[in-house]
PDB file of all heavy atoms in Angstrom:
ATOM      1  N   PRO A 260      -5.843 -11.937 -11.834  1.00  0.00           N
ATOM      2  CA  PRO A 260      -4.872 -11.623 -13.039  1.00  0.00           C
ATOM      3  C   PRO A 260      -4.308 -10.253 -12.711  1.00  0.00           C
ATOM      4  O   PRO A 260      -3.127  -9.988 -13.246  1.00  0.00           O
ATOM      5  CB  PRO A 260      -5.895 -11.624 -14.244  1.00  0.00           C
ATOM      6  CG  PRO A 260      -7.109 -12.413 -13.706  1.00  0.00           C
ATOM      7  CD  PRO A 260      -7.138 -12.275 -12.223  1.00  0.00           C
ATOM      8  N   TYR A 261      -5.024  -9.293 -12.170  1.00  0.00           N
ATOM      9  CA  TYR A 261      -4.451  -7.992 -11.954  1.00  0.00           C
ATOM     10  C   TYR A 261      -3.205  -8.016 -11.077  1.00  0.00           C
ATOM     11  O   TYR A 261      -2.213  -7.477 -11.265  1.00  0.00           O
ATOM     12  CB  TYR A 261      -5.480  -7.015 -11.473  1.00  0.00           C
ATOM     13  CG  TYR A 261      -4.891  -5.541 -11.270  1.00  0.00           C
ATOM     14  CD1 TYR A 261      -4.403  -4.833 -12.309  1.00  0.00           C
ATOM     15  CD2 TYR A 261      -4.700  -5.063  -9.993  1.00  0.00           C
ATOM     16  CE1 TYR A 261      -3.792  -3.652 -12.043  1.00  0.00           C
ATOM     17  CE2 TYR A 261      -4.105  -3.891  -9.723  1.00  0.00           C
ATOM     18  CZ  TYR A 261      -3.671  -3.194 -10.721  1.00  0.00           C
ATOM     19  OH  TYR A 261      -3.093  -1.921 -10.546  1.00  0.00           O
ATOM     20  N   THR A 262      -3.434  -8.718  -9.988  1.00  0.00           N
ATOM     21  CA  THR A 262      -2.353  -8.914  -8.948  1.00  0.00           C
ATOM     22  C   THR A 262      -1.202  -9.486  -9.723  1.00  0.00           C
ATOM     23  O   THR A 262      -0.009  -9.059  -9.420  1.00  0.00           O
ATOM     24  CB  THR A 262      -2.791  -9.766  -7.815  1.00  0.00           C
ATOM     25  OG1 THR A 262      -4.077  -9.287  -7.344  1.00  0.00           O
ATOM     26  CG2 THR A 262      -1.778  -9.681  -6.637  1.00  0.00           C
ATOM     27  N   GLN A 263      -1.454 -10.535 -10.438  1.00  0.00           N
ATOM     28  CA  GLN A 263      -0.284 -11.248 -11.161  1.00  0.00           C
ATOM     29  C   GLN A 263       0.492 -10.314 -12.054  1.00  0.00           C
ATOM     30  O   GLN A 263       1.726 -10.418 -12.114  1.00  0.00           O
ATOM     31  CB  GLN A 263      -0.946 -12.417 -11.982  1.00  0.00           C
ATOM     32  CG  GLN A 263      -1.486 -13.574 -11.077  1.00  0.00           C
ATOM     33  CD  GLN A 263      -2.110 -14.623 -11.876  1.00  0.00           C
ATOM     34  OE1 GLN A 263      -2.163 -14.609 -13.122  1.00  0.00           O
ATOM     35  NE2 GLN A 263      -2.513 -15.709 -11.197  1.00  0.00           N
ATOM     36  N   SER A 264      -0.362  -9.573 -12.829  1.00  0.00           N
ATOM     37  CA  SER A 264       0.496  -8.590 -13.741  1.00  0.00           C
ATOM     38  C   SER A 264       1.165  -7.543 -12.996  1.00  0.00           C
ATOM     39  O   SER A 264       2.177  -7.080 -13.342  1.00  0.00           O
ATOM     40  CB  SER A 264      -0.588  -7.948 -14.702  1.00  0.00           C
ATOM     41  OG  SER A 264      -1.468  -7.121 -14.027  1.00  0.00           O
ATOM     42  N   LEU A 265       0.629  -7.128 -11.790  1.00  0.00           N
ATOM     43  CA  LEU A 265       1.291  -6.112 -10.978  1.00  0.00           C
ATOM     44  C   LEU A 265       2.610  -6.674 -10.443  1.00  0.00           C
ATOM     45  O   LEU A 265       3.655  -5.953 -10.464  1.00  0.00           O
ATOM     46  CB  LEU A 265       0.392  -5.756  -9.814  1.00  0.00           C
ATOM     47  CG  LEU A 265       0.467  -4.337  -9.139  1.00  0.00           C
ATOM     48  CD1 LEU A 265       0.225  -3.293 -10.313  1.00  0.00           C
ATOM     49  CD2 LEU A 265      -0.548  -4.279  -8.128  1.00  0.00           C
ATOM     50  N   LEU A 266       2.569  -7.924 -10.080  1.00  0.00           N
ATOM     51  CA  LEU A 266       3.696  -8.598  -9.527  1.00  0.00           C
ATOM     52  C   LEU A 266       4.754  -8.859 -10.681  1.00  0.00           C
ATOM     53  O   LEU A 266       5.985  -8.737 -10.507  1.00  0.00           O
ATOM     54  CB  LEU A 266       3.387  -9.968  -8.785  1.00  0.00           C
ATOM     55  CG  LEU A 266       2.621  -9.878  -7.573  1.00  0.00           C
ATOM     56  CD1 LEU A 266       2.325 -11.299  -7.040  1.00  0.00           C
ATOM     57  CD2 LEU A 266       3.443  -9.082  -6.512  1.00  0.00           C
ATOM     58  N   ALA A 267       4.239  -9.129 -11.895  1.00  0.00           N
ATOM     59  CA  ALA A 267       5.136  -9.316 -13.005  1.00  0.00           C
ATOM     60  C   ALA A 267       5.861  -8.017 -13.355  1.00  0.00           C
ATOM     61  O   ALA A 267       6.983  -8.022 -13.654  1.00  0.00           O
ATOM     62  CB  ALA A 267       4.318  -9.798 -14.236  1.00  0.00           C
ATOM     63  N   ALA A 268       5.146  -6.877 -13.257  1.00  0.00           N
ATOM     64  CA  ALA A 268       5.770  -5.537 -13.526  1.00  0.00           C
ATOM     65  C   ALA A 268       6.878  -5.281 -12.669  1.00  0.00           C
ATOM     66  O   ALA A 268       7.842  -4.616 -12.903  1.00  0.00           O
ATOM     67  CB  ALA A 268       4.782  -4.487 -13.535  1.00  0.00           C
ATOM     68  N   ALA A 269       6.852  -5.851 -11.340  1.00  0.00           N
ATOM     69  CA  ALA A 269       7.846  -5.561 -10.426  1.00  0.00           C
ATOM     70  C   ALA A 269       8.893  -6.769 -10.391  1.00  0.00           C
ATOM     71  O   ALA A 269       9.684  -6.859  -9.355  1.00  0.00           O
ATOM     72  CB  ALA A 269       7.268  -5.411  -8.927  1.00  0.00           C
ATOM     73  N   ASP A 270       8.797  -7.612 -11.273  1.00  0.00           N
ATOM     74  CA  ASP A 270       9.702  -8.802 -11.377  1.00  0.00           C
ATOM     75  C   ASP A 270       9.624  -9.678 -10.208  1.00  0.00           C
ATOM     76  O   ASP A 270      10.557 -10.306  -9.841  1.00  0.00           O
ATOM     77  CB  ASP A 270      11.175  -8.236 -11.397  1.00  0.00           C
ATOM     78  CG  ASP A 270      11.657  -7.924 -12.815  1.00  0.00           C
ATOM     79  OD1 ASP A 270      11.059  -8.344 -13.708  1.00  0.00           O
ATOM     80  OD2 ASP A 270      12.619  -7.180 -12.959  1.00  0.00           O
ATOM     81  N   LEU A 271       8.402  -9.866  -9.738  1.00  0.00           N
ATOM     82  CA  LEU A 271       8.133 -10.657  -8.625  1.00  0.00           C
ATOM     83  C   LEU A 271       7.375 -11.975  -9.141  1.00  0.00           C
ATOM     84  O   LEU A 271       6.984 -12.890  -8.221  1.00  0.00           O
ATOM     85  CB  LEU A 271       7.415 -10.095  -7.547  1.00  0.00           C
ATOM     86  CG  LEU A 271       8.243  -9.007  -6.730  1.00  0.00           C
ATOM     87  CD1 LEU A 271       7.323  -8.135  -5.910  1.00  0.00           C
ATOM     88  CD2 LEU A 271       9.245  -9.597  -5.866  1.00  0.00           C
ATOM     89  N   PHE A 272       6.917 -11.979 -10.364  1.00  0.00           N
ATOM     90  CA  PHE A 272       6.098 -13.074 -10.807  1.00  0.00           C
ATOM     91  C   PHE A 272       6.359 -13.310 -12.258  1.00  0.00           C
ATOM     92  O   PHE A 272       6.339 -12.210 -12.979  1.00  0.00           O
ATOM     93  CB  PHE A 272       4.602 -12.697 -10.410  1.00  0.00           C
ATOM     94  CG  PHE A 272       3.643 -13.805 -10.686  1.00  0.00           C
ATOM     95  CD1 PHE A 272       3.508 -14.928  -9.898  1.00  0.00           C
ATOM     96  CD2 PHE A 272       2.798 -13.696 -11.896  1.00  0.00           C
ATOM     97  CE1 PHE A 272       2.577 -15.840 -10.211  1.00  0.00           C
ATOM     98  CE2 PHE A 272       1.849 -14.693 -12.146  1.00  0.00           C
ATOM     99  CZ  PHE A 272       1.743 -15.795 -11.292  1.00  0.00           C
ATOM    100  N   GLU A 273       6.237 -14.413 -12.702  1.00  0.00           N
ATOM    101  CA  GLU A 273       6.364 -14.669 -14.176  1.00  0.00           C
ATOM    102  C   GLU A 273       4.966 -14.572 -14.710  1.00  0.00           C
ATOM    103  O   GLU A 273       4.074 -15.299 -14.365  1.00  0.00           O
ATOM    104  CB  GLU A 273       6.904 -16.070 -14.485  1.00  0.00           C
ATOM    105  CG  GLU A 273       8.307 -16.327 -13.920  1.00  0.00           C
ATOM    106  CD  GLU A 273       9.371 -15.846 -14.872  1.00  0.00           C
ATOM    107  OE1 GLU A 273       9.146 -15.921 -16.132  1.00  0.00           O
ATOM    108  OE2 GLU A 273      10.301 -15.210 -14.415  1.00  0.00           O
ATOM    109  N   GLY A 274       4.744 -13.748 -15.564  1.00  0.00           N
ATOM    110  CA  GLY A 274       3.446 -13.494 -16.151  1.00  0.00           C
ATOM    111  C   GLY A 274       3.295 -12.364 -17.175  1.00  0.00           C
ATOM    112  O   GLY A 274       4.329 -11.728 -17.436  1.00  0.00           O
ATOM    113  N   ASN A 275       2.118 -12.194 -17.619  1.00  0.00           N
ATOM    114  CA  ASN A 275       1.967 -11.167 -18.464  1.00  0.00           C
ATOM    115  C   ASN A 275       1.898  -9.724 -17.883  1.00  0.00           C
ATOM    116  O   ASN A 275       1.426  -9.579 -16.780  1.00  0.00           O
ATOM    117  CB  ASN A 275       0.493 -11.263 -19.190  1.00  0.00           C
ATOM    118  CG  ASN A 275       0.443 -12.595 -19.986  1.00  0.00           C
ATOM    119  OD1 ASN A 275       1.431 -12.981 -20.612  1.00  0.00           O
ATOM    120  ND2 ASN A 275      -0.771 -13.081 -20.068  1.00  0.00           N
ATOM    121  N   LEU A 276       2.428  -8.756 -18.689  1.00  0.00           N
ATOM    122  CA  LEU A 276       2.403  -7.471 -18.170  1.00  0.00           C
ATOM    123  C   LEU A 276       1.041  -6.933 -18.499  1.00  0.00           C
ATOM    124  O   LEU A 276       0.408  -7.322 -19.537  1.00  0.00           O
ATOM    125  CB  LEU A 276       3.412  -6.546 -18.852  1.00  0.00           C
ATOM    126  CG  LEU A 276       4.870  -6.846 -18.341  1.00  0.00           C
ATOM    127  CD1 LEU A 276       5.802  -5.912 -19.107  1.00  0.00           C
ATOM    128  CD2 LEU A 276       4.960  -6.617 -16.917  1.00  0.00           C
ATOM    129  N   PRO A 277       0.411  -6.077 -17.661  1.00  0.00           N
ATOM    130  CA  PRO A 277      -0.838  -5.448 -17.998  1.00  0.00           C
ATOM    131  C   PRO A 277      -0.769  -4.552 -19.186  1.00  0.00           C
ATOM    132  O   PRO A 277       0.354  -3.955 -19.429  1.00  0.00           O
ATOM    133  CB  PRO A 277      -1.260  -4.684 -16.737  1.00  0.00           C
ATOM    134  CG  PRO A 277       0.058  -4.375 -16.063  1.00  0.00           C
ATOM    135  CD  PRO A 277       0.986  -5.458 -16.526  1.00  0.00           C
ATOM    136  N   THR A 278      -1.799  -4.416 -19.878  1.00  0.00           N
ATOM    137  CA  THR A 278      -1.864  -3.458 -20.982  1.00  0.00           C
ATOM    138  C   THR A 278      -2.387  -2.087 -20.599  1.00  0.00           C
ATOM    139  O   THR A 278      -3.194  -2.066 -19.545  1.00  0.00           O
ATOM    140  CB  THR A 278      -2.770  -4.090 -22.095  1.00  0.00           C
ATOM    141  OG1 THR A 278      -3.827  -4.679 -21.475  1.00  0.00           O
ATOM    142  CG2 THR A 278      -2.093  -5.010 -23.022  1.00  0.00           C
ATOM    143  N   GLU A 279      -1.995  -1.147 -21.195  1.00  0.00           N
ATOM    144  CA  GLU A 279      -2.469   0.223 -20.815  1.00  0.00           C
ATOM    145  C   GLU A 279      -3.993   0.465 -21.227  1.00  0.00           C
ATOM    146  O   GLU A 279      -4.473  -0.257 -22.083  1.00  0.00           O
ATOM    147  CB  GLU A 279      -1.569   1.327 -21.472  1.00  0.00           C
ATOM    148  CG  GLU A 279      -1.699   2.627 -20.793  1.00  0.00           C
ATOM    149  CD  GLU A 279      -0.796   3.633 -21.392  1.00  0.00           C
ATOM    150  OE1 GLU A 279      -0.174   3.346 -22.406  1.00  0.00           O
ATOM    151  OE2 GLU A 279      -0.736   4.731 -20.925  1.00  0.00           O
ATOM    152  N   GLY A 280      -4.483   1.300 -20.708  1.00  0.00           N
ATOM    153  CA  GLY A 280      -5.923   1.552 -21.036  1.00  0.00           C
ATOM    154  C   GLY A 280      -6.746   1.933 -19.869  1.00  0.00           C
ATOM    155  O   GLY A 280      -7.958   1.836 -19.875  1.00  0.00           O
TER     156      GLY A 280
END
Side-chain angles (χ1 to χ4, degrees):
Chain A
Y261 177 67
T262 314
Q263 293 179 354
S264 65
L265 212 56
L266 292 179
D270 273 342
L271 289 168
F272 184 75
E273 298 279 319
N275 295 327
L276 288 180
T278 38
E279 199 177 4

